């Protein structure tokens, strides 16, 4: 009995061992299959069928390069990304320079007594900035709709050339009315530019790559601020033809941006498969590289082929974007997060003049804050992608700024002792900048080309609303120490912290709600849902929000 029992036990043990090996193999195969589907959702025939039909109906411009079974090596992809960085990301950064130069040189101009020359005071300056921001805000959505119909590669060059001409005309300003008119025109022409450019970038980069490229975007802005500060140091010394230095500043820098605008007609392309031109008959990519660009984008986000790049959005599409309540937490972040930063950007040169620094030293003293800003921007954006986290990483911004603003408001020496005050103001102005994270966050959580373009514009509108608030924090009756204004900035900075945490909680809850429904469905039910659902964009049950 004992020997028989041992034999039975051994046989059972071997059988169990074999069964375990089979189960382990099945689990490994299942895990591998799941991983492959995550990398390439089109390996599921039903998913491929659904999106192939969608791409055909939408007349997706890059459909000819779509190939669910196409494979490429890591080395090939690195080569393609390098080309994209040079052809697309670098071009976007150059175009962004033209925006920053013409909207930012007003801060250098006022350090050269421009307000006194035009008979303006602090409140008039605030009004001019408010007119600019309101015009910029009002143009966001119309600009995005025009850009989506014509294509960013056509509308963006037009925008740059148009606002550059108006920017140059500021050299002829003589009164308050002219100041207000040019502020309005520049705002209208620049409105929507950032959203247009983000949409163009999204045609070429994956959702994970986009935030880093956007951080380069705003790093370029900061480098531009350093360059224009150095340029202003020289240009503002010009005194000839009876002109003031600020007039030469507008004329020279406006001409520089006009040159970028003309070049942009030749630097931009509609898509990866539309890069051949009469001046570049070979295009940017080989046929195989085109397929790599297109398929890596679609496998990351299949919805990027849901619209043609020359397809208008229409009023119905606009309405759906406006009522998309799931995007409102990000809009609230946009309106609150940058108020203090905008206030200090507008007044930093004036505050330095009040501290007793000369016109030329004032412009040079803006450079350290820009350097700090660049370092923080690159680090915080990299960290966000490295840990795949947005809300908690963004809390670094208010955690950093709250104590600094507290010192600026309540330290007795603030505004009186020149160098310590400049250090505090510089540290505050150089705060960790979460804009690149948030812009990419909006793009990810939109989940359609239509929503991505309009929601990006709406987010920027809320950012401009925050800027309008920021432009009116410091008032004439509160200067030179701005105690009331700094108290308001402290409260606004503090409020950002719970807003970010509540945003995290909201998106976690929304994903959990979707998971409960989606996980209860069979594969057949999921396929039927894909084919028949009226849910659109981020309302789809097979989409999860980033947080």
């Amino acid at each position: 009995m004992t020997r028989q029992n041992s034999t039975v036990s051994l046989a059972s043990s071997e059988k169990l061992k074999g069964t375990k090996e089979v189960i382990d193999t099945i689990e490994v195969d299942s895990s591998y299959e799941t991983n492959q589907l995550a990398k390439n959702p089109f390996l599921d025939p039903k998913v491929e069928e659904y999106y192939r039909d969608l791409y055909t109906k939408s007349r997706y411009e890059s459909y000819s390069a779509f190939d669910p079974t196409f494979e490429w090596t890591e080395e090939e992809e690195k080569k393609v990304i390098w080309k994209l960085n040079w052809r697309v990301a670098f071009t976007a950064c150059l175009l962004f320079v033209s925006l920053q130069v013409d909207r930012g040189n007003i801060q250098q101009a006022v350090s050269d007594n421009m307000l006194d020359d035009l008979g303006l005071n602090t409140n008039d300056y605030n009004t001019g900035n408010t007119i600019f921001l309101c015009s910029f805000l009002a143009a966001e959505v119309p600009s995005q709709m025009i850009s989506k119909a014509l294509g960013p590669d056509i509308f963006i060059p037009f925008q740059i050339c148009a606002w550059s001409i108006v920017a140059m005309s500021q050299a002829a300003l003589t009164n308050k009315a002219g100041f207000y008119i040019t502020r309005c025109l520049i705002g209208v022409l620049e409105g929507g530019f950032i959203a247009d450019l983000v949409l163009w970038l999204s045609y070429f980069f994956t959702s994970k790559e986009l935030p880093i490229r956007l951080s380069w975007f705003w790093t370029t802005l900061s480098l531009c601020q350093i360059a224009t500060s150095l340029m202003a140091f020289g240009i503002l010394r010009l005194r000839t033809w009876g002109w003031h230095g600020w007039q030469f500043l507008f004329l020279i820098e406006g001409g520089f941006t006009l040159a970028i605008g003309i070049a942009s007609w030749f630097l931009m392309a509609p898509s990866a498969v539309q890069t051949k031109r009469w001046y570049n008959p070979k295009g940017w990519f080989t046929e195989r590289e085109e397929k790599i660009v297109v398929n890596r984008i679609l496998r990351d986000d299949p919805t990027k082929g849901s619209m043609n790049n020359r397809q208008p959005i229409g009023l119905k599409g606009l309405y759906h974007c406006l009522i998309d309540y799931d995007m409102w937490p990000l809009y609230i972040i946009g309106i609150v997060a940058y108020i203090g930063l905008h206030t200090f950007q507008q007044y930093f040169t004036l505050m330095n003049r009040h501290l007793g620094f000369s016109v030329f030293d004032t412009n040079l003293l803006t450079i350290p804050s820009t350097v700090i800003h660049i370092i923080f921007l690159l680090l915080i954006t990299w960290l966000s992608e490295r840990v795949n986290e947005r809300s908690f990483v963004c809390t670094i911004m208010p955690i950093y700024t709250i104590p600094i603003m507290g010192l600026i408001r309540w330290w007795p020496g603030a505004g009186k002792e020149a160098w310590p005050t400049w250090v505090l103001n510089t540290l505050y102005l150089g705060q960790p900048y979460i804009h690149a994270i948030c812009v990419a966050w909006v793009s990810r959580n939109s989940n359609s080309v239509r929503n991505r373009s309009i929601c990006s514009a709406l987010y920027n509108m809320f950012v401009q609303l925050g800027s309008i608030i920021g432009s009116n924090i410091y008032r004439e009756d509160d200067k030179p120490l701005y105690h009331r204004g700094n108290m308001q900035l402290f409260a606004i900075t503090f409020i950002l912290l719970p807003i970010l945490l509540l945003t995290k909680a909201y998106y976690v809850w929304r994903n959990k709600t979707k998971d409960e429904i989606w996980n209860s469905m069979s594969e057949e039910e999921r396929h039927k849902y894909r084919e028949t659902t009226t849910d659109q964009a981020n309302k789809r049950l097979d989409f999860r929000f980033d947080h």
Side-chain angles (χ1 to χ4, degrees), residues 88-100:
V88 181
F90 174 77
T91 296
C93 290
L94 179 63
L95 302 186
F96 201 53
V97 166
S98 65
L99 176 76
Q100 179 55 30

Side-chain angles (χ1 to χ4, degrees), residues 67-84:
D67 185 351
T69 61
F70 180 66
E71 296 182 356
W72 59 89
T73 67
E74 187 177 344
E75 285 302 314
E76 286 180 309
E77 185 166 9
K78 285 181 179 178
K79 183 179 178 182
V80 166
I81 292 174
W82 187 90
K83 281 191 176 183
L84 289 171

Side-chain angles (χ1 to χ4, degrees), residues 11 27 33 98 137 150 157 226 291 314 323 363 430 485 511 533:
E27 286 179 349
E33 183 179 350
S98 65
L137 183 154
L150 298 179
I226 293 174
K291 292 187 72 173
I323 63 171
N363 283 289
N511 287 347
T533 183

